[in-house]
Amino acid sequence: MEVERAGSLHKHELAEAMEVEQEGLVEHQPLEQDDLNFEKWKPKPKPKRTLHEKIDDLKTYLWNAETKEFMGRSGKSWSLILLFYSALYIFLAAMFAGCMCCLMWSISPYAPTYNDRVMPPGLTMSPHVEHVAHGFDIAFNASDQKSWKKYARALEAHLKPYDDKVQERRNIPCEGNTYFMQDDLEESAERKACQFKRSMLGECSGTHDKDFGYSKGKPCIIVKMNRILGYLPGQGTPVNVTCGVKKGSTEVLGDVEFFPSNVFNLRYYPYYGKLRHVNYSSPLVAVRFSGVQSETQLHVQCKLNGKGIINDSATDRFLGSVSFTLQVGA
């Protein structure tokens, strides 16, 4: 019995060894030449579709008569999508409208809520027909009307709202040199404004000399401060204007005259905004250069002077001052 069992076990081990040897032979069997042809493994190109087939597919996509689908969706699916997006955009619109209502309710249309960072006023001038890199340019020959007519026309247009009859109709006469405070009125009440008649500008008013001195070689310019709501210039002391050459001798500029004076009267302040100060007219200062050296280009600067005024800013050349070139020919 033991001999038979030993023989049977030997036969079983021999069979397993032969199977392992056969598997090894199969693994190391060389590939056939047909197996090395990789072209047969590449995907076969799809047949080209005709234009008619493409149009038929597009029509089917737009409307499938068998499934009753439009662009791949049934009527129920499209209804749910439209319902969802309609609800979404209605909600967003309502939320935006609510935010705007809260914002408009919380602010006043007459005065800004926060104005603690408002800069001091800037200074602007007229005429400003030609704007160059360093400011404005005024160059003309007194004997050539075409060279200075544009400046006279610009000044006339600027002073039109200051006509005496217009000011008498719109505004009230005022006297004194103190702030015209009207804070005791209701917030929405219209504020009164003081008259500023162009006749107050004397030789630069354009009423006696329609050419504003340009035909005589004595040009006029007009300067004014920018409007700032609620601003009280000078802190109780009037702000004045001075003009001079930026470089060189002051003699080349000659006499400089100011009309009605070189001071911005306090009775024109504060400014209450365009909704309440409907007919407000900013005060003006006219500057006349009556003795300019001819055929010389001058770099002129006019600047504000007073408490709280900044006129030497390195970043804003119009803050408290304005610069221009002036050249008068014979």
Side-chain angles (χ1 to χ4, degrees), residues 145-161:
Q145 183 179 6
K146 292 183 179 179
S147 65
W148 52 259
K149 193 64 178 179
K150 54 188 176 183
Y151 302 119
R153 190 180 297 113
L155 286 172
E156 178 62 30
H158 184 74
L159 292 176
K160 202 66 179 175

Side-chain angles (χ1 to χ4, degrees), residues 60-64 69-73 78:
T60 304
Y61 170 71
L62 294 176
W63 174 248
N64 192 326
E69 292 180 344
F70 174 69
M71 297 181 68
R73 292 184 179 274
W78 279 113

Side-chain angles (χ1 to χ4, degrees), residues 248-315:
S249 174
T250 57
E251 296 180 357
V252 295
L253 190 60
D255 296 333
V256 180
E257 302 174 86
F258 297 92
F259 303 95
S261 67
N262 70 328
V263 171
F264 288 100
N265 198 294
L266 298 181
R267 63 172 174 260
Y268 298 100
Y269 303 97
Y271 170 60
Y272 287 95
K274 63 180 181 180
L275 291 181
R276 294 182 292 183
H277 242 154
V278 179
N279 296 320
Y280 179 80
S281 298
S282 299
L284 308 175
V285 171
V287 186
R288 184 187 187 193
F289 304 97
S290 55
V292 180
Q293 182 174 329
S294 61
E295 306 299 340
T296 304
Q297 187 180 57
L298 307 178
H299 294 274
V300 184
Q301 182 185 49
C302 294
K303 57 184 181 180
L304 298 172
N305 304 281
K307 294 181 180 180
I309 297 297
I310 299 176
N311 56 22
D312 56 355
S313 174
T315 58

